[in-house]
């Protein structure tokens, strides 16, 4: 697998389905029907774009089956780094501060962040 690629919102929807399991175009149409209503032609265009980006690969058999060629983790890391750089000059602290000032964090979010930070501290102590 190679490093992640930049994905549009629509491409993320397709990749999430392919990260669950490889699929044919017909299976993708069915999986996307309720959420997007995308038809076969739309999916062919999007899959072609994903192939050119190196995000998916196709195996010909009785029916073409599409597989992810990049990991979700690599794509998430690339998107996260890009977002932080563009919006918050690479600062996680600035991002969290902005969310706090807008009261965009629930109690559950705060508890989750606390646990993540505690885990990070333990990791730093053992490094």
């Amino acid at each position: 697998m190679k490093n992640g690629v930049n994905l549009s919102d629509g491409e993320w929807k397709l990749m999430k389905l392919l990260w669950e399991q490889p699929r044919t175009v017909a299976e993708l149409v069915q999986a996307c029907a309720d959420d997007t209503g995308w038809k076969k032609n739309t999916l062919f265009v999007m899959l072609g774009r994903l192939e050119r980006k190196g995000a998916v690969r196709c195996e010909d058999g009785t029916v073409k089956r599409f597989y992810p060629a990049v990991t979700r983790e690599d794509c998430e890391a690339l998107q996260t780094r890009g977002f932080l750089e563009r919006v918050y000059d690479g600062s996680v602290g600035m991002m969290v501060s902005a969310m706090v000032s807008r009261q965009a964090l629930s109690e559950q979010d705060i508890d989750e962040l606390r646990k993540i930070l505690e885990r990070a501290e333990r990791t730093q102590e053992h490094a």
Side-chain angles (χ1 to χ4, degrees), residues 42-88:
T42 302
L43 288 168
F44 273 125
V45 169
M46 292 179 75
L47 288 165
R49 192 169 52 225
L50 286 167
E51 278 187 292
R52 286 188 297 281
K53 288 183 174 186
V56 299
R57 63 183 175 78
C58 174
E59 285 187 6
D60 287 324
T62 313
V63 178
K64 281 188 174 186
R65 187 166 298 279
F66 292 86
Y67 296 81
V70 292
T71 66
R72 182 178 182 139
E73 294 77 14
D74 283 345
C75 290
E76 287 171 347
L78 181 68
Q79 295 287 130
T80 301
R81 278 192 308 274
F83 171 77
L84 278 174
E85 288 298 324
R86 278 190 317 278
V87 180
Y88 297 104

Side-chain angles (χ1 to χ4, degrees), residues 7-23 28 31-32 35 38 50 55-56 68 70-72 75-76:
L7 300 171
S8 70
D9 290 345
E11 291 168 343
W12 269 101
K13 288 179 189 277
L14 288 183
M15 291 304 296
K16 285 178 182 179
L17 292 169
L18 294 174
W19 284 318
E20 288 174 5
Q21 67 184 42
R23 297 175 194 250
L28 286 168
C32 292
D35 185 36
W38 290 335
L50 286 167
V56 299
V70 292
T71 66
R72 182 178 182 139
C75 290
E76 287 171 347

Side-chain angles (χ1 to χ4, degrees), residues 102-113:
R102 290 181 185 88
Q103 298 178 337
L105 296 174
S106 68
E107 280 298 319
Q108 182 180 354
D109 292 331
I110 294 167
D111 288 342
E112 189 174 342
L113 283 170

